[in-house]
């Protein structure tokens, strides 16, 4: 088998890249190690930057998002039993779109089917090879048979645990990492959100986030110790703890109901450099992870796709290598700014076991600064809505 671009991974980055390439007439095949339903079962991101929304439009997968997604003009920082609203639109002229990763993935899958793109699900032993030569190829096993796809380029869109980054010789790649001494326990429940905008809460008992998927579906998170077990958290215990971390007015307004998803995610910052190795390109979580506090993970995957698509379009349609040659440098410049922002918002909003009184005083001073300085609030807002590509 032969194609122009093999995309490893059918998450948001692989599907978005696949749709953009197909729309431009560039042949591609997506391979994933799991099936469609498994991918759609993952509950992850919820907030999209305007750049991501625009890429979904270019991909032809934005119709349902515009009907069902919730445009938000602001969010709240809660601390000291009160709320401070960050007016994103007034400060930046931009808004964000609340639309879940599950729905976005479903829309991209539907678009791919509609345009007849090939996706191979449930492939094992996927292996990118020959990417340092003029003849790259990818092998995989399916139905007991080993198969091979020859190609011009390989896009490693296979997430943090994927094979693409691991296929690169250790001496050719540098990694930078920070782990955080806590995780997020999250639930999804069909109850109306406590507020029509997101609330990020800094509280002595730990961070809490009130988010949503729709007017009738809420997504709530609380900071928890890394060794915490989901089984220890009944819905009642979760809601009791969430109430304790919110300003009283919100705690009283919280509508509770049975959760249908409950999971714990660790928090990590990670970057691999560079993001190109010959004809292999790393994209999204395969190259970098951010803690979820600034809602940047999925949006960074989208900006990588933007830069890579520009590069591949230049190569195939304009016979120019310039944008492809700059992929790693352009993507990483934006990645590091989002890594910085996600780290700073995580540091501002969470209780650190070893933070001490000094750490707490610094947090209080920064929250006070954000509340009283338009310049500080604007800086937070412009990062939250997404820096330009
Ligand atoms: P992924 O979504 O990880 O997709 C990778 C795909 O590659 C998967 O389908 C996988 O099956 C496939 N794959 C893996 N290994 C192989 C292999 N060997 N062979 C073939 N295919 C393979 N971001 C936010 O912005 N906000 C959030 O609230 C948020 N919450 C998160 C919660 C959790 C638990 C996690 C894990 C992430 C969260 N993120 C969040 C991050 C966001 O979900 C990711 O940044 C986004 O999914 C990245 O997309 P991706 O396509 O690069 O990678
Ligand atoms: C969601 C997750 C985030 O990490 C965030 O910052 C905002 C929203 C969510 O899952 O809805």
């Amino acid at each position: 088998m032969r194609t122009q671009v093999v995309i490893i991974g059918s998450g948001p980055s692989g599907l978005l890249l696949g749709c953009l390439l197909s729309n431009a007439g560039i042949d591609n095949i997506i391979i994933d190690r799991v099936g469609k339903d498994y991918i759609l079962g993952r509950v992850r991101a919820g907030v999209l930057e305007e750049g991501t929304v625009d890429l979904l439009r270019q991909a032809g997968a934005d119709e349902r998002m515009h009907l069902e997604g919730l445009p938000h003009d602001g969010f709240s920082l809660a601390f000291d039993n009160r709320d401070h609203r960050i007016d994103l639109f007034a400060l930046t002229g931009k808004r964000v779109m609340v639309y879940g990763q599950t729905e976005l993935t479903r829309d991209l899958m539907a678009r791919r089917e509609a345009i007849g793109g090939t996706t191979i699900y449930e492939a094992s032993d996927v292996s990118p090879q020959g990417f340092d030569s003029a003849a790259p190829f990818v092998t995989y096993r399916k139905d007991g048979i080993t198969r091979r796809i020859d190609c011009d380029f390989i896009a490693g869109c296979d997430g943090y645990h994927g094979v693409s980054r691991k296929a690169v010789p250790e001496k050719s790649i540098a990694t930078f990492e920070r782990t955080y001494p806590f995780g997020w326990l999250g639930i999804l429940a069909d109850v109306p959100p406590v507020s029509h905008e997101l609330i990020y809460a800094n509280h002595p008992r730990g961070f809490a986030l009130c988010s949503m998927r729709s007017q009738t579906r809420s997504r709530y998170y609380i900071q928890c110790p890394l060794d915490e077990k989901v089984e220890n958290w009944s819905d009642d215990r979760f809601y009791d703890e969430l109430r304790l971390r919110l300003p009283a007015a919100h705690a009283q307004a919280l509508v509770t109901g049975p959760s249908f998803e409950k999971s714990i995610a660790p928090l990590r910052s990670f970057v691999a450099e560079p993001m190109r190795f010959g004809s292999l390109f790393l994209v999204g979580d395969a190259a970098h992870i951010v803690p979820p506090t600034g809602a940047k993970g999925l949006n960074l995957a989208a900006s990588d796709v933007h830069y890579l698509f520009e590069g591949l379009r230049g190569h195939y349609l304009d016979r120019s290598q310039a944008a492809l040659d700059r992929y790693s440098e352009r993507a990483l410049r934006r990645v590091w700014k989002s890594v910085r922002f996600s780290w700073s918002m995580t540091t501002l909003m969470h209780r650190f076991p070893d933070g001490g009184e000094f750490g707490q005083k610094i947090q209080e001073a920064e929250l006070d600064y954000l509340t009283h300085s338009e310049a500080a609030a604007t800086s937070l807002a412009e990062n939250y809505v997404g820096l330009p590509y």
Side-chain angles (χ1 to χ4, degrees):
M1 214 175 347
R2 184 172 170 89
T3 190
Q4 290 175 307
V5 183
V6 173
I7 299 171
I8 304 180
S10 179
S13 55
L15 286 163
L16 183 58
L17 180 63
C19 285
L20 293 171
L21 290 174
S22 297
N23 290 347
I26 301 167
D27 209 28
N28 62 91
I29 294 176
I30 299 183
I31 314 180
D32 203 296
R33 76 185 153 91
V34 298
K36 224 171 160 175
D37 291 343
Y38 186 92
I39 294 168
L40 290 172
R42 297 178 180 133
V43 179
R44 291 181 172 179
V47 177
L48 309 181
E49 298 170 356
E50 281 185 6
T52 307
V53 168
D54 192 54
L55 281 168
L56 289 162
R57 181 190 57 75
Q58 287 179 46
D62 63 332
E63 198 179 326
R64 196 163 65 100
M65 173 185 62
H66 284 300
L67 290 173
E68 297 177 15
L70 306 171
H72 280 200
D73 286 355
F75 67 87
S76 284
L77 292 174
F79 55 97
D80 200 16
N81 202 28
R82 65 197 165 95
D83 267 328
H84 176 74
R85 183 167 187 265
I86 301 292
D87 191 332
L88 297 172
F89 194 72
L91 293 165
T92 68
K94 292 185 179 161
R95 33 176 72 96
V96 292
M97 176 73 88
V98 172
Y99 191 64
Q101 179 167 334
T102 312
E103 300 315 311
L104 174 153
T105 306
R106 199 189 302 282
D107 295 346
L108 285 166
M109 283 176 171
R111 171 70 185 164
R112 187 161 180 83
E113 251 170 57
I115 56 182
T118 307
T119 307
I120 300 160
Y121 290 113
E122 294 172 347
S124 57
D125 302 337
V126 178
S127 175
Q129 301 190 46
F131 49 83
D132 53 351
S133 76
F137 61 100
V138 174
T139 55
Y140 65 97
R141 274 180 81 73
K142 173 106 183 157
D143 304 326
I145 300 166
T146 298
R147 297 171 198 269
R148 166 177 171 145
I149 311 176
D150 292 286
C151 55
D152 303 328
F153 299 106
I154 303 169
C157 301
D158 49 348
Y160 180 70
H161 298 288
V163 285
S164 299
R165 192 182 66 252
K166 290 179 194 142
V168 175
E170 234 171 84
K171 63 175 176 19
S172 310
I173 194 164
T175 59
F176 305 84
E177 184 160 20
R178 168 153 304 183
T179 55
Y180 299 85
F182 40 73
W184 278 17
L185 169 62
I187 65 160
L188 256 186
D190 278 330
V191 290
V194 66
S195 163
H196 69 286
E197 291 183 342
L198 270 64
I199 305 168
Y200 291 84
N202 173 309
H203 190 274
R205 295 181 68 89
F207 169 78
L209 169 59
C210 301
S211 181
M212 66 202 69
R213 291 292 174 270
S214 69
Q215 321 259 22
T216 55
R217 181 167 290 182
S218 298
R219 178 76 166 149
Y220 294 129
Y221 299 94
I222 53 173
Q223 175 185 348
C224 66
L226 266 180
D227 57 0
E228 192 55 86
K229 299 271 175 291
V230 173
E231 307 81 78
N232 295 337
W233 287 84
S234 64
D235 288 348
D236 284 345
R237 182 178 174 206
F238 181 94
Y239 287 122
D240 287 345
E241 185 61 39
L242 177 62
R243 266 192 214 96
L244 290 171
R245 298 183 187 190
L246 297 178
H250 292 309
Q252 279 153 21
L254 185 75
V255 179
T256 63
S259 70
F260 58 90
E261 203 272 346
K262 197 181 280 160
S263 52
I264 293 178
L267 271 67
R268 166 189 291 130
S269 302
F270 172 87
V271 182
E273 289 187 3
M275 288 170 62
R276 176 183 185 172
F277 306 88
S279 45
L280 170 68
F281 296 84
L282 299 182
V283 181
D285 278 18
H288 42 73
I289 297 284
V290 289
T293 323
K296 288 288 161 241
L298 173 59
N299 291 300
L300 267 189
S303 60
D304 290 355
V305 167
H306 162 81
Y307 295 125
L308 183 55
F309 174 58
E310 277 201 345
L312 292 170
R313 192 178 50 189
H315 172 87
Y316 285 110
L317 306 187
D318 306 329
R319 299 197 182 168
S320 161
Q321 304 311 310
L324 212 47
D325 287 345
R326 291 193 59 211
Y327 168 71
S328 181
E329 174 217 326
R330 293 175 81 196
L332 279 166
R333 279 183 74 182
R334 194 168 189 281
V335 165
W336 273 110
K337 280 178 227 150
S338 287
V339 169
R340 185 209 69 79
F341 174 66
S342 306
W343 160 83
S344 85
M345 208 162 150
T346 301
T347 309
L348 173 66
M349 299 306 292
H350 290 75
R351 278 302 124 142
F352 283 71
D354 57 358
E357 285 177 11
F358 182 83
Q360 200 170 319
K361 287 283 182 194
I362 294 289
Q363 285 187 349
E364 286 167 18
E366 189 168 345
L367 287 165
D368 189 39
Y369 179 44
L370 281 167
T371 310
H372 293 101
S373 159
E374 189 172 315
T378 304
S379 167
L380 173 70
E382 78 167 343
N383 279 280
Y384 193 85
V385 298
L387 295 174
Y389 287 179

